Amino acid sequence: MRVTRSIFAAMASLWAAGAAVAQEQSVLPGQPYDWQMGLQEPMSPIEYQIQWFSNYTLAFIIPITILVAALLAWVIFRYRAGRNPVPSRTSHNTTIEVVWTLAPVIVLLFLAVPSFQLLTAQYNPPSEPELTVKTTGYQWYWGYEYQPTEASAEAAAEPVSFESYPLLDDDREAMGKADRNAYPHLLAVDNEMVVPVDTVIRLISTSADVIHSFALPSMGVKVDAVPGRLNEYWFEALREGMFYGQCSELCGQSHYNMPIAVRVVSKEQFAEWYAAASESLEDANALLTARIQSGDSVAVAGR
């Protein structure tokens, strides 16, 4: 009993310490933080559904775990050798067998229906995608290629493409990314993937060498990047900001340092960035960062 109390006391202290650390931090929406206990804040419709299904599943898992643990404890206590010197010779019980067959079937049906609904939603966007971005995994960085759409065709006739490398500490000051809260260690990159808010985006994932995985937790995105194969997914960012992910498939010695950074901006800001990026990515990123930091409004290119 004392050991059990000590374990629960230690867990409570750990939880309290984590909560205190989280409160002291300036946590940005949709970003991870130290001592985080739950999932990241959802920033897309799919991630909302994923977290709902997670909580829904826990509503079954927790009672079942408690029931099984209680039954085991009761059997250990009630049918131990000290209380039953002569073991029971019962071979079967029809009622119990019917119950433990039907109960799991019913539980699985309650889990299967919303599971299939979520799976269907993940691969069927609510509308035709307005933007297509091809992501290519390399050892150990990402490449992005924007396919021209009706919204961007006037801004640039050719697709915009670039590589995104992990941000080195020596380059932070020069790139205006010294704030480690906004640009965390091992998550910040030199060139973010820029996308517009409230826009259905088609994501095409592949790899140029080994298997990678494009994962963006706050957007509910996790797509394998397989050499010679194109995997398709979609997401829609519900608010502006910077959101991070990482390669989630072991791909070599620098797998830990293969971050994903997505900057979500207004549609007007994206149109201006896209037009500038077709000529100079560095100038486009510098202008976008400056406008965001200053809070100035951005006019649509060409107006």
Side-chain angles (χ1 to χ4, degrees):
M1 183 63 70
R2 291 181 179 178
V3 174
T4 304
R5 290 178 179 176
S6 299
I7 293 175
F8 278 108
M11 293 177 61
S13 299
L14 186 63
W15 187 289
V21 172
Q23 289 178 355
E24 291 178 0
Q25 292 181 331
S26 178
V27 180
L28 299 177
Q31 292 193 14
Y33 56 86
D34 295 342
W35 295 88
Q36 186 170 0
M37 302 300 292
L39 300 175
Q40 293 183 23
E41 182 181 356
M43 290 292 158
S44 73
I46 287 297
E47 180 60 17
Y48 272 106
Q49 295 184 50
I50 291 174
Q51 295 198 17
W52 176 89
F53 183 67
S54 174
N55 296 331
Y56 176 80
T57 304
L58 284 175
F60 290 90
I61 293 175
I62 293 175
I64 291 173
T65 302
I66 294 174
L67 174 62
V68 172
L71 289 174
L72 285 173
W74 179 72
V75 168
I76 293 172
F77 174 77
R78 175 65 179 79
Y79 297 102
R80 68 187 189 275
R83 291 178 60 95
N84 294 272
V86 180
S88 172
R89 296 180 178 275
T90 302
S91 61
H92 69 278
N93 184 298
T94 304
T95 302
I96 293 178
E97 290 179 1
V98 170
V99 170
W100 72 33
T101 300
L102 290 180
V105 170
I106 294 173
V107 171
L108 290 176
L109 285 175
F110 275 95
L111 293 176
V113 173
S115 175
F116 291 146
Q117 292 175 337
L118 174 59
L119 186 63
T120 300
Q122 286 179 303
Y123 292 95
N124 291 274
S127 62
E128 188 68 22
E130 301 176 47
L131 175 66
T132 298
V133 182
K134 180 182 178 182
T135 66
T136 304
Y138 302 90
Q139 291 179 307
W140 290 270
Y141 60 96
W142 293 95
Y144 300 111
E145 180 180 341
Y146 290 72
Q147 304 295 334
T149 62
E150 294 182 359
S152 59
E154 296 181 359
E158 299 296 329
V160 172
S161 61
F162 56 89
E163 282 73 44
S164 178
Y165 294 90
L167 181 63
L168 301 178
D169 288 340
D170 295 340
D171 297 333
R172 284 181 173 272
E173 291 291 342
M175 301 191 69
K177 298 179 179 180
D179 184 0
R180 290 181 178 268
N181 185 46
Y183 303 97
H185 179 59
L186 293 183
L187 287 178
V189 300
D190 56 354
N191 299 315
E192 297 88 9
M193 182 173 82
V194 181
V195 298
V197 71
D198 296 326
T199 302
V200 176
I201 298 166
R202 177 190 288 115
L203 192 67
I204 299 177
S205 179
T206 189
S207 171
D209 37 52
V210 300
I211 298 177
H212 302 280
S213 185
F214 189 92
L216 195 62
S218 60
M219 298 291 175
V221 175
K222 188 177 186 298
V223 189
D224 286 343
V226 182
R229 178 182 298 178
L230 297 177
N231 289 328
E232 184 175 324
Y233 201 76
W234 74 274
F235 71 97
E236 179 183 2
L238 299 179
R239 64 171 297 170
E240 300 177 29
M242 186 77 77
F243 306 100
Y244 293 100
Q246 291 175 301
C247 174
S248 59
E249 183 71 34
L250 187 61
C251 57
Q253 64 179 6
S254 295
H255 164 69
Y256 75 96
N257 194 26
M258 192 174 169
I260 298 166
V262 176
R263 186 188 291 276
V264 181
V265 299
S266 68
K267 294 184 178 182
E268 292 77 13
Q269 289 174 327
F270 175 77
E272 184 180 66
W273 173 86
Y274 195 95
S278 63
E279 299 180 1
S280 172
L281 178 66
E282 183 178 355
D283 292 343
N285 287 340
L287 176 61
L288 180 61
T289 301
R291 293 292 178 86
I292 292 175
Q293 292 177 348
S294 65
D296 294 340
S297 60
V298 179
V300 178
R303 292 187 179 180

